[in-house]
């Protein structure tokens, strides 16, 4: 109840004055503190709470602690596993919470555990400030989705959004409010293991997908964030993380301001425009200064240029890393430089506890603490934790939501659109379920490996493997033997002797990609290639299913296969999707978001290189990639008319409309991902070969033709000048519309300076 004094006439006036006096006396008893008023604006609630906090309480809000279950301390098991009645929290962890030394946890999972931690927090927090729980939900929580580089190959913003909503429902049902995703790094180096977490090599595709992932996690507005089936996104790693020596994780390499603006920032801008609530800074450095301390990155660019107003957290231990990298003399120095560099929250290092002393010594102004704590508190208000600290801790709901049929169906949908048909000689695919087929290879029934890295709470035994998926459709026509789920050639040759077609499941170990997992070569292991060749030599038709977290070298696989489906790490529903694609129940539509090199020696390799004055090549192999960016096949064929624009000359600042007719010239219904690239013929800075500027998809029945209209906004033609201005320069631009980045289906326009 809040008091609103009224006054109507003398009598009422006396009564009014009396009641005003009484209410003012009682005000402290009846009025709700603004920060507890769920109808008050978040900014006001934050300011009110901040005004009541001590320095120690403020600094504690900036501490993000890793949660270690007692079993990792060698103490009794993690409650909900070994003692369902009682959750066991390590005494050290309990003490830290009871002493009010934790703002949020990462790696605390599950309603049972997180509820106990929250109860302890609410029991001891003087102002009733709840804990928040973060986790790496990178591609699903329990129903594991295809790795991000796979789902990006769908080029389907809506399907990706729907898939991330699965992750949000499951993570929030398990007591989490923030995920360290989307990862939006852009790289052209498949040696780097974290390429599996990216959405490919193109900043425009990456920006649209980043926005889709954020909408999937958070919903469409700040209000949706407070629902208990959404989670806050944390877009990462800000910024320029992929700039590495030799594709080696953590070996930072300088990158230019132009690299930052043209390649690394666009996906962050996409996520921020979609309302992402937090950002994680990266292990890298810019202009020689660690990102953790970098005011140019974290204030000038992130806050002022990109307009980010949310929570900025360090990546794991980066405050300690600065010292171990030799970029800081002490952890106390790191804490001072971190807060002055714009970091709000310190993940795992605990060094931000030094801020209490630093403020007392006058080295850090309280203003900086207040700014950071305001961002920490804002995230808790936005996710509804102050209105109901237990909103995310319903054990019954947790059991209903995890691996629900709805979640598995939504995961299946994105998986079907993530797997690329790279080859299909003599239309060996689709393969009828009436056709006897053998299944072999070490990844035919490996549920854990198909989840890929960063598999959160996923369980290998819950995966639908290729074996399970194909058995469902081929039934007795599937010839298999678990002994042949290897690269053992005699066992495979014995298995396949009575069939003419063999499905071979090969690929990378899931541990070969992900964080700190790099490769200098990109071939699959010799035993897998020899196994494939032996089956080929036996005269069989071969359908290869390739599992990987990066583009691998494909020439020997392609040479020894009739058809190739690139499954990446497809997640829980992988086997069902693969079986449906092999049988033709689903027609493949995926197109690669990452260039496939012929050889690691070509790296870094991308379609969007800057234009050379002369096209040299290699004396020992073609310069071109093995599969280009945007490539993917279908069981049908499509034909494009020449693109047409609504005019030949445009005033700068006008949008450009491009139309093209796409026809299904085959015998099966299919979806075509239509891509639109521009090539700036002449610019004041060296232009790139071409750049993706729009894409859409069209579903066509056999023989059907549709007109597709693509609208290029003025920003599609912007360049960044030498003096760092974003302008549209007059001149001619070629516009390509086609099935992949090599299309020569083009038209051209002139951009004329406004008269
Ligand atoms: C890791 C990763 C980051 C992850 C964080 C928390 O080192 O760089 O992507 O979110 O630590 O696990």
């Amino acid at each position: 109840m809040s008091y609103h004094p009224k006054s109507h006439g003398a009598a009422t006036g006396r009564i009014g004055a009396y009641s005003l006096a009484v209410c003012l006396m009682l005000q402290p008893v009846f009025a709700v503190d603004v920060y507890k008023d769920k109808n008050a604006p978040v900014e006001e609630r934050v300011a009110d709470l901040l005004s009541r906090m001590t320095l120690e309480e403020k600094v504690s809000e900036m501490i993000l602690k890793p949660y270690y279950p007692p079993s990792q301390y060698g103490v009794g098991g993690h409650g909900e596993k070994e003692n369902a009645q009682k959750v066991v929290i390590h005494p050290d962890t309990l003490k830290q919470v009871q002493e009010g030394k934790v703002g949020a946890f990462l790696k605390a999972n599950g309603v049972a555990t997180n509820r106990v931690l929250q109860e302890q927090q609410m029991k001891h927090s003087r102002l009733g400030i709840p804990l928040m729980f973060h986790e790496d939900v990178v591609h699903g929580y329990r129903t594991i989705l295809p790795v991000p580089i796979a789902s990006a190959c769908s080029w389907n913003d809506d399907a990706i959004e729907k898939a991330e909503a699965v992750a949000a429902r499951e993570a929030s049902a398990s007591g989490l409010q923030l995920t360290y995703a989307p990862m939006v790094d852009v790289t052209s180096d498949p040696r780097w293991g974290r390429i599996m977490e990216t959405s490919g090599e193109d900043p425009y595709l990456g920006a649209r997908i980043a926005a889709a992932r954020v909408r999937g996690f958070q919903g469409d507005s700040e209000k949706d964030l407070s629902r208990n089936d959404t989670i806050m996104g944390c877009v990462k790693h800000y910024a320029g993380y992929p700039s590495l020596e030799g594709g080696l994780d953590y070996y930072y390499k300088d990158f230019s301001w132009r690299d930052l603006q043209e390649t690394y920032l666009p996906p962050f801008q996409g996520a921020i425009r979609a309302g992402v609530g937090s950002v994680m800074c990266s292990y890298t450095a810019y202009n020689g200064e660690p990102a953790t301390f970098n005011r140019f990155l974290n204030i000038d660019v992130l806050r002022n240029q990109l307009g980010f107003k949310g929570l900025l957290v360090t990546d794991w231990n980066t405050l300690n890393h600065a010292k171990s990298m030799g970029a800081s003399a002490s952890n106390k120095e790191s804490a001072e430089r971190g807060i002055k560099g714009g970091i709000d929250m310190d993940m795992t290092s605990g060094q931000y506890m030094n801020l209490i002393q630093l403020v007392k010594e006058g080295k850090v102004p309280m203003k900086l603490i207040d700014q950071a704590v305001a961002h920490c508190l804002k995230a808790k208000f936005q996710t509804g934790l102050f209105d109901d600290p237990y909103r995310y801790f319903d054990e019954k709901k947790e059991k209903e939501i995890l691996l629900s049929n709805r979640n598995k169906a939504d995961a299946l949908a994105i998986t079907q659109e993530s797997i690329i048909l790279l080859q299909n000689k003599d239309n060996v695919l689709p393969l009828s379920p009436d056709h006897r087929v053998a299944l072999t290879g070490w990844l035919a029934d490996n549920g854990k490996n198909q989840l890929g890295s960063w598999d959160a709470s996923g369980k290998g035994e819950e995966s639908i493997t290729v074996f399970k998926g194909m058995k469902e459709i081929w039934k007795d026509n599937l010839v298999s033997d678990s002994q042949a789920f290897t690269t053992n050639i005699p066992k495979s040759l014995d298995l396949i002797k009575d069939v003419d077609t063999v499905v071979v499941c090969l690929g990378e170990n899931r541990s070969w990609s992900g964080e700190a997992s790099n490769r200098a070569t990109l071939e699959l292991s010799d035993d897998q290639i020899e196994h494939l060749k032996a089956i080929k030599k036996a005269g069989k038709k071969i359908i290869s299913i390739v599992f990987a977290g990066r583009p691998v070298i494909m020439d020997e696989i392609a040479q020894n296969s009739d058809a190739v489906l690139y499954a990446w790490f497809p997640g829980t529903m992988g086997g069902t999707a693969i079986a449906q694609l092999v049988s033709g129940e689903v027609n493949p539509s995926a197109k690669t978001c990452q260039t496939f090199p012929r050889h690691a020696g070509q790296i870094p390799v991308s379609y969007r290189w800057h234009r050379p004055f002369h096209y040299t090549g290699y004396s020992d192999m073609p310069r071109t990639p093995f599969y280009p960016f945007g490539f993917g096949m279908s069981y049908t064929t499509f034909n494009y008319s020449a693109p047409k624009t609504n005019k030949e000359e445009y005033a700068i600042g006008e949008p450009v409309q491009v139309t093209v007719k796409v026809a299904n010239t085959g015998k099966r219904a299919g979806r075509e991902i239509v891509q639109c690239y521009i090539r700036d013929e002449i610019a004041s800075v060296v232009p790139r070969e071409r750049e993706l500027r729009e894409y859409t998809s069209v579903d066509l029945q056999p023989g059907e033709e549709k007109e597709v209209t693509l609208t290029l906004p003025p920003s599609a033609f912007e360049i960044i000048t030498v003096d760092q201005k974003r302008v549209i320069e007059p001149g001619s631009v070629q516009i390509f519309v086609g099935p992949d980045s090599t299309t020569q289906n083009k038209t051209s326009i002139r951009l004329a300076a406004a008269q």
Side-chain angles (χ1 to χ4, degrees), residues 2 26 48 53 56 62 79 176 203 233 257 282 285 344 350 365 445 463 504 542 545 593 682 700:
S2 55
L26 295 174
D48 177 53
M53 295 168 76
E56 288 70 14
M62 304 159 80
L176 298 167
W257 179 89
S282 84
D344 299 322
D445 195 31
S463 296
V504 183
I542 297 174
I545 315 288
C593 66
I682 295 174
L700 294 166

Side-chain angles (χ1 to χ4, degrees), residues 390-574:
Y390 302 100
R391 147 168 323 187
Y392 295 88
F393 308 129
D394 175 341
E395 288 198 80
K396 180 170 172 296
K397 181 183 176 203
E398 183 180 39
K399 287 188 176 59
E400 286 164 4
I401 295 292
L402 297 187
L403 274 178
S404 70
N405 289 335
R406 175 192 178 192
N407 289 348
K408 288 191 284 190
D410 289 352
L412 176 59
I414 190 66
T415 311
Q416 292 165 345
E417 293 191 45
S418 303
I419 296 169
I420 313 169
L421 177 63
L422 291 175
Q423 183 174 291
N424 192 17
K425 285 179 192 160
D426 307 327
N427 293 319
V428 67
L429 286 179
L431 188 70
S432 162
D434 300 331
H435 192 120
R436 269 170 70 74
V437 60
L439 174 66
T440 180
W442 76 285
L443 290 174
D445 195 31
N446 190 321
K448 185 69 176 171
N449 203 71
Q450 76 186 49
L451 299 183
S453 182
W454 294 108
D455 56 337
S457 291
K459 299 181 189 309
E461 59 272 25
E462 293 167 349
S463 296
I464 310 291
T465 61
V466 176
F467 168 64
K468 290 174 184 162
M470 289 195 71
K471 193 69 185 167
E472 192 64 32
I473 296 178
W474 270 261
K475 303 193 188 323
D476 294 343
N477 282 331
L478 182 70
V479 176
S480 66
D481 171 354
S482 60
Q483 297 300 311
F485 291 160
T486 67
T487 55
N488 180 307
I489 291 174
K491 286 202 184 328
S492 287
L493 293 180
D494 179 48
L495 177 84
I496 66 175
K497 58 184 183 301
D498 300 330
V499 298
D500 63 5
T501 306
V502 184
V503 171
V504 183
C505 295
L506 66 169
E508 286 190 317
N509 189 303
R510 74 191 201 110
S511 65
W512 287 8
S513 55
E515 184 168 357
S517 307
N518 318 298
R519 294 186 64 193
T521 60
L522 301 176
E523 284 77 10
L524 292 189
S525 53
D526 292 346
D527 63 318
Q528 296 188 76
I529 300 300
E530 293 314 311
H531 177 247
L532 189 64
K533 286 179 175 176
I535 295 171
K536 175 79 178 168
K537 196 161 169 245
K540 308 299 177 183
K541 287 216 178 286
I542 297 174
I543 297 155
S544 288
I545 315 288
V546 184
F547 295 83
R550 56 166 58 84
V552 299
I553 300 303
M554 289 296 294
D555 58 353
E556 289 206 284
I557 298 168
Q559 279 172 36
N560 291 285
S561 305
D562 295 277
V564 178
L565 281 168
Y566 211 81
W568 306 97
F569 290 120
T572 305
M573 302 308 289

Side-chain angles (χ1 to χ4, degrees), residues 40-305:
V42 166
E43 281 62 28
E44 288 179 24
R45 300 179 77 179
V46 166
D48 177 53
L49 178 54
L50 208 50
S51 68
R52 303 163 187 262
M53 295 168 76
T54 64
L55 171 61
E56 288 70 14
E57 288 167 336
K58 289 177 181 177
V59 169
S60 294
E61 276 308 295
M62 304 159 80
I63 303 299
L64 175 51
K65 285 204 77 70
Y67 174 77
Y68 295 112
S71 50
Q72 288 193 18
Y73 288 89
V75 175
H78 196 300
E80 67 277 17
K81 288 195 181 67
E82 287 147 36
N83 170 357
Q85 304 316 315
K86 184 171 173 301
V87 172
V88 174
I89 306 286
H90 192 278
D92 291 355
T93 304
L94 271 185
K95 186 165 177 286
Q96 286 158 355
V97 174
Q98 290 158 350
E99 290 174 353
K101 290 206 166 41
V102 185
F105 278 106
L106 68 146
K107 303 294 166 200
N109 278 245
V111 166
T113 298
N114 294 4
R115 171 178 281 279
V116 169
L117 291 166
Q118 193 72 296
E119 283 164 352
Q120 287 298 320
Q121 173 73 8
M122 297 313 286
K123 193 170 158 190
H124 294 87
S125 169
R126 178 177 72 88
L127 292 164
I129 300 174
L131 289 171
M132 191 170 184
F133 296 90
H134 304 185
E135 178 56 283
D136 289 288
V137 183
V138 177
H139 56 105
Y141 178 72
R142 178 73 175 272
T143 305
I144 300 303
L145 303 166
V147 289
I149 195 170
S151 56
C153 293
S154 70
W155 297 56
N156 187 335
D157 303 11
D158 293 340
I160 288 170
E161 179 179 337
K162 203 168 173 186
E164 298 300 5
V166 171
R169 289 196 294 273
E170 294 197 347
S172 54
S174 284
L176 298 167
Q177 294 85 49
L178 185 149
T179 175
Y180 298 139
M183 190 270 215
V184 299
D185 295 307
V186 175
T187 185
S188 48
D189 189 343
R191 295 172 298 179
W192 184 41
R194 302 201 76 167
I195 194 171
M196 54 74 64
E197 302 175 59
T198 72
S199 292
E201 72 192 52
D202 183 80
Y204 174 77
L205 177 63
R208 280 188 44 181
I209 290 178
R213 297 195 198 278
V214 168
R215 291 193 299 269
F217 291 141
Q218 301 189 172
D220 295 327
S221 71
E222 184 180 48
K223 189 171 53 55
D224 291 340
L225 250 183
S226 63
R227 292 193 336 236
N228 67 356
D229 63 350
T230 58
I231 43 171
M232 182 175 280
C234 179
V235 62
K236 68 184 184 184
H237 302 84
Y238 182 76
Y241 186 10
S243 181
L244 297 164
E245 302 291 2
L248 286 167
D249 213 357
Y250 310 154
Y251 283 72
Y252 129 82
K253 181 169 67 173
D254 260 334
F255 56 93
S256 71
W257 179 89
R258 189 169 291 275
D259 291 331
L260 177 67
Q261 296 290 340
E262 291 182 352
T263 298
Y264 297 129
L265 287 185
F268 284 95
Q269 184 72 85
I272 290 165
R273 283 182 178 151
V276 71
S278 62
V279 171
M280 182 188 295
C281 86
S282 84
Y283 291 140
T284 192
Y286 175 74
N287 193 22
E289 185 174 40
T292 315
F293 304 148
N294 203 300
R295 284 188 60 80
F296 170 74
L297 278 183
N298 301 334
I299 308 288
D300 301 353
V301 177
L302 182 64
R303 302 286 182 188
N304 301 339
Q305 176 186 335

Side-chain angles (χ1 to χ4, degrees), residues 569-589:
F569 290 120
T572 305
M573 302 308 289
T576 302
I578 289 164
Q580 291 173 330
L581 290 163
V582 171
S583 71
E585 186 179 331
V586 174
N587 186 358
S589 59

